[in-house]
DNA sequence: GATCCACGATTGGTCGGACCAGGGAAGGCC
DNA sequence: GGCCTTCCCTGGTCCGACCAATCGTGGATC
């Protein structure tokens, strides 16, 4: 029990040490850390290995480095920590993608419902703008951009950074572009537009239940499409 | 447009390059990558920087290194990619913690409902065992272990790796221990036990709606406790 | 001929030091 | 007093050497 885990790498131990400093409160959000060189000396490893540990904590969203200025602890907000997870949907394939969409079908309706209960008039106006932009544009890329902005605005109105960050990670531009292209080719764009309108209407009515249902229908639609087209994916 | 993003670090570019190799399908799940030295040479950077890029992709759950053997792409299952999630609840504080719990209140009931519809008799038996273990143990650490196992078993029965991984990340041993200790001191353990029993009963009845409600009540309970005790936290 | 083992080539892990590039504060110039 | 230069500190990159786990290979053994 003395030091059984010497089997792990020095870098991993450094990561754990810094994490422990943060969880224990010795390092607080926003605070600046010692120099790379100092940290390496203190924790007893080379600067190279220390840099790897710092890089790891950086992608985790725990630390943040500023060239020439120093290393800082991030504000540690859920958004910061979930930032690196935008990779998720990007690499998932086949059954894994379906699973991610299933998760989205659970979270997005809940977020939309929360938004319906507390969205401001200003935010609602922005949602309306994105909705109109979707209808006005021709290029798939533009439509997708408006689509993403539409959902992002709604989720943001829910007031849950964690849900925003999670859903952001579950949405990838390339995936959505593919879905839109397919929908266009299948001539079902009007139906998609109808779904979006229904979501907006529920928000405008400040009707959480209706918003929940409308969002669920919308995501389920995409999920079903993916399930039906899984074979020709990738 | 020639090479505008030379402003970023070489390591970041290497990360992007490897990610692109994966998303484009040139590197497939489980496949082995070239040597660190070869990769560095190919991408035109030093081995040190290349190692940092690899470390970053490792903590993201995209790559996996085996000392002496080589570097491999992970199976890229949602579970692999959400693994680093555990950090989240570990460092979150104050309002951020409440937000995470709010996310859990959305996801866990959904997973429990899905489990109710498809849980096997065997899995149900295990759930029962963990429930009994919770009641039988005295040490908070043991109770927490059984508590975690109880929820984990249920969520696993939902059959969604993404939800399992997410909820796993939202649950930390230290947080739960604190909650249990407080509940014990406040003498509300019987009520918690009752909530667990109700969840089990809904699963046994194969009643998704009841399971959803029971899980929601349970998580909301913890959320309310946290909200009430936020001031004395950390 | 099959099995086992020792050895060495391969590959990731660690180290130390040198040099480059961005930032920021001290101090001089106007 | 305000602006600008300068210099030092800090992260970013690179190199080359050595350590340690792995795995294939080929020879010894039965």
């Amino acid at each position: 029990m003395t030091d059984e885990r010497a089997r792990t790498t020095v870098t991993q131990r450094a990561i754990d040490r810094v994490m422990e400093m943060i969880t224990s409160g010795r390092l607080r959000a926003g605070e600046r850390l010692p120099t790379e060189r100092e940290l390496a000396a203190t924790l007893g490893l080379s600067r190279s290995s220390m840099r790897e540990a710092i890089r790891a904590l950086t992608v985790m969203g725990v630390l943040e480095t500023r060239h020439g200025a120093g290393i800082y602890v991030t504000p540690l907000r859920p958004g910061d920590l979930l930032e690196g997870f935008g990779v998720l949907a990007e690499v998932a394939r086949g059954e894994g993608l379906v699973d991610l969409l299933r998760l989205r079908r659970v979270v997005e309706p809940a977020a939309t419902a929360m938004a319906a209960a507390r969205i401001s008039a200003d935010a609602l106006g922005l949602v309306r703008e994105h909705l109109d932009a979707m209808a006005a544009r021709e290029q798939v890329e533009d439509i997708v951009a408006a689509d993403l902005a539409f959902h992002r605005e709604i989720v943001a109105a829910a007031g849950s950074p964690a849900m925003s960050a999670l859903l952001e990670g579950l949405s990838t531009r390339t995936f959505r572009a593919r879905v839109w292209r397919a929908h266009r080719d299948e001539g079902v764009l009007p139906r998609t537009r109808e779904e979006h309108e229904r979501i907006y209407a529920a928000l405008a009515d400040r009707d959480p239940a209706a918003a929940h249902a409308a969002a669920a229908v919308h995501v389920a639609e995409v999920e079903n499409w993916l399930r039906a087209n899984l074979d020709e994916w990738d």
Side-chain angles (χ1 to χ4, degrees), chain A:
Chain A
M1 196 203 279
T2 51
D3 209 51
E4 203 61 49
R5 35 203 172 296
R7 304 219 25 135
T8 181
T9 73
V10 286
T11 301
Q12 186 57 49
R13 261 177 297 173
I15 294 175
D16 295 340
R17 290 283 295 275
V18 175
M19 274 298 288
E20 197 270 341
M21 285 187 207
I22 295 176
T23 59
S24 74
R26 261 182 297 168
L27 274 177
R28 309 195 69 90
E31 193 169 340
R32 173 174 173 178
L33 279 72
T35 316
E36 285 184 351
R37 295 163 170 89
E38 282 181 50
L39 277 173
T42 304
L43 301 184
L45 42 78
S46 73
R47 193 184 160 207
S48 322
S49 301
M50 190 64 230
R51 273 188 62 81
E52 276 188 46
I54 294 171
R55 169 71 63 176
L57 291 162
T58 296
V59 302
M60 285 189 226
V62 174
L63 295 185
E64 178 185 0
T65 65
R66 300 177 207 162
H67 190 170
I71 311 168
Y72 296 80
V73 180
T74 67
L76 296 178
R77 294 173 51 78
D80 303 317
L81 302 169
L82 282 164
E83 191 176 318
F85 286 96
V87 199
L88 252 181
E90 203 69 51
V91 296
R93 287 282 184 284
E95 199 51 47
L97 251 185
V98 176
D99 191 29
L100 288 180
L101 220 42
R102 194 157 36 200
L103 174 55
R104 186 175 157 222
R105 194 185 56 191
V106 167
V107 179
E108 181 133 358
T112 306
M114 287 167 63
R118 57 200 303 283
I119 193 169
S120 69
D122 284 356
L124 194 60
L126 286 175
V127 171
R128 180 74 247 175
E129 283 180 25
H130 294 138
L131 193 51
D132 294 336
M134 246 183 288
R137 301 316 200 84
E138 286 294 331
Q139 296 295 318
V140 171
E141 286 73 19
D142 296 334
I143 297 179
V144 168
D147 182 23
L148 284 172
F150 174 78
H151 285 102
R152 191 179 352 242
E153 193 68 43
I154 293 174
V155 173
S160 170
M163 288 191 200
S164 286
L166 178 64
L167 290 172
E168 190 69 28
L170 293 178
S171 305
T172 114
R173 200 167 297 270
T174 61
F175 174 71
R176 284 178 117 93
R178 183 149 186 176
V179 174
W180 273 100
R181 240 179 281 271
H183 278 186
R184 181 193 57 192
D185 297 345
E186 294 167 9
V188 295
L189 282 190
R191 190 177 59 193
T192 303
R193 178 169 168 71
E194 175 63 25
E195 290 169 10
H196 280 147
E197 284 288 355
R198 222 168 313 174
I199 292 175
Y200 174 78
L203 290 176
D205 288 349
R206 302 286 197 277
D207 186 337
H212 191 285
V217 167
H218 182 53
V219 179
E221 188 67 33
V222 177
E223 191 181 341
N224 287 330
W225 174 86
L226 173 63
R227 225 185 276 273
N229 294 274
L230 246 193
D231 51 325
E232 59 184 66
W233 188 275
D234 175 287

